[in-house]
Amino acid sequence: MSAVPLYLQIREIIRHQILEGSYPAHGLLPSESQMTAAFGVSRITIRQALNDLQKEGMIFKVAGKGTFVSKPKAFQNLSNLRGFGEEMNSLGYETFSQVLSKRAVRADEHVARQLGQEPGSMVYQIQRLRYLNREPISVDVSYFPLALGERLSNEDLQARDVFAILERDYGLNLTHADVQIDAITVDEWLAGHLRVSEGAPLLRIERLTYANDQPIDFEYLYYRGDAFHYRLRIDRK
């Protein structure tokens, strides 16, 4: 007999089925009566499990029609400096990255200024396509000082966050980041990776991350406009 309450066990089973793709985004879940029969539990137990998943944003209910799987939506909490995987994995979402390219490039004026280097100097660029619950959610274009980027290029960037590697493996102390957000329309290259129409809205985030007050990671984060929101706590003083 498990000490874990039945509704929590059922919640995790349904979560796993959603994450593995048994129920696609906007797909209809079995009815409460069908789940009651399938799991051999009371309707109250099923409702407890579904209510938890609804609070997490994994499912939503439509009166008279049933319960549906939510389209995965990423968020950035601007009050904390966390990587994409760190933020989403802590909520139970599945994430991974596809490395699109990794190479040394000459820094344009903006990238060079952010990293404290001369325009035209060599930096290291890493492009990744980020997935949330197996849906493409963002394209990340990151720039690092050359030696650091070359070292990162040998790491498992599909499964691990850059922040985790920098802190745990390289012993760097990430202190803060400067963030700027604006809205743009998607070009052909981004549209192809994010599976949206050319000209669709995107959120572009520029983030410059510091370690011990030295800039080490400048990024353009391109998020699908239908699959991202940000959170910020503002205190009145």
Side-chain angles (χ1 to χ4, degrees), residues 144-204:
F144 305 91
L146 187 59
L148 177 60
E150 288 176 337
R151 187 178 179 189
L152 281 169
S153 70
N154 296 314
E155 304 290 351
D156 181 8
L157 299 177
Q158 294 188 91
R160 299 188 66 196
D161 263 0
V162 167
F163 282 2
I165 295 170
L166 294 176
E167 289 186 317
R168 298 171 193 170
D169 297 1
Y170 298 176
L172 295 175
N173 178 32
L174 302 183
T175 52
H176 66 283
D178 297 327
V179 176
Q180 178 176 310
I181 302 172
D182 62 355
I184 63 171
T185 54
V186 67
D187 60 22
E188 182 180 2
W189 183 75
L190 288 169
H193 288 301
L194 295 174
R195 301 178 194 168
V196 296
S197 301
E198 191 172 350
L202 286 185
L203 279 175
R204 179 177 64 182

Side-chain angles (χ1 to χ4, degrees), residues 71-175:
K71 191 175 185 67
K73 195 161 191 173
F75 72 86
Q76 180 76 37
N77 187 335
L78 297 184
S79 301
N80 298 303
L81 179 57
R82 303 186 76 186
F84 175 78
E86 288 178 302
E87 196 83 73
M88 296 295 100
N89 293 154
S90 67
L91 298 175
Y93 290 101
E94 177 189 83
T95 65
F96 70 93
S97 300
Q98 176 188 352
V99 178
L100 302 176
S101 71
K102 43 186 180 179
R103 59 189 178 134
V105 299
R106 294 197 179 276
D108 63 24
E109 184 175 348
H110 186 58
V111 170
R113 183 168 63 250
Q114 298 299 313
L115 291 176
Q117 302 198 23
E118 291 295 322
S121 60
M122 300 303 294
V123 295
Y124 205 87
Q125 179 198 76
I126 297 175
Q127 298 181 345
R128 290 168 295 161
L129 178 59
R130 313 300 294 271
Y131 286 82
L132 179 66
N133 290 3
R134 307 189 186 184
E135 287 282 328
I137 203 83
S138 74
V139 171
D140 296 4
V141 181
S142 305
Y143 296 89
F144 305 91
L146 187 59
L148 177 60
E150 288 176 337
R151 187 178 179 189
L152 281 169
S153 70
N154 296 314
E155 304 290 351
D156 181 8
L157 299 177
Q158 294 188 91
R160 299 188 66 196
D161 263 0
V162 167
F163 282 2
I165 295 170
L166 294 176
E167 289 186 317
R168 298 171 193 170
D169 297 1
Y170 298 176
L172 295 175
N173 178 32
L174 302 183
T175 52

Side-chain angles (χ1 to χ4, degrees), residues 33-44:
S33 59
Q34 289 173 320
M35 289 190 186
T36 296
F39 288 109
V41 297
S42 69
R43 182 165 292 199
I44 291 175

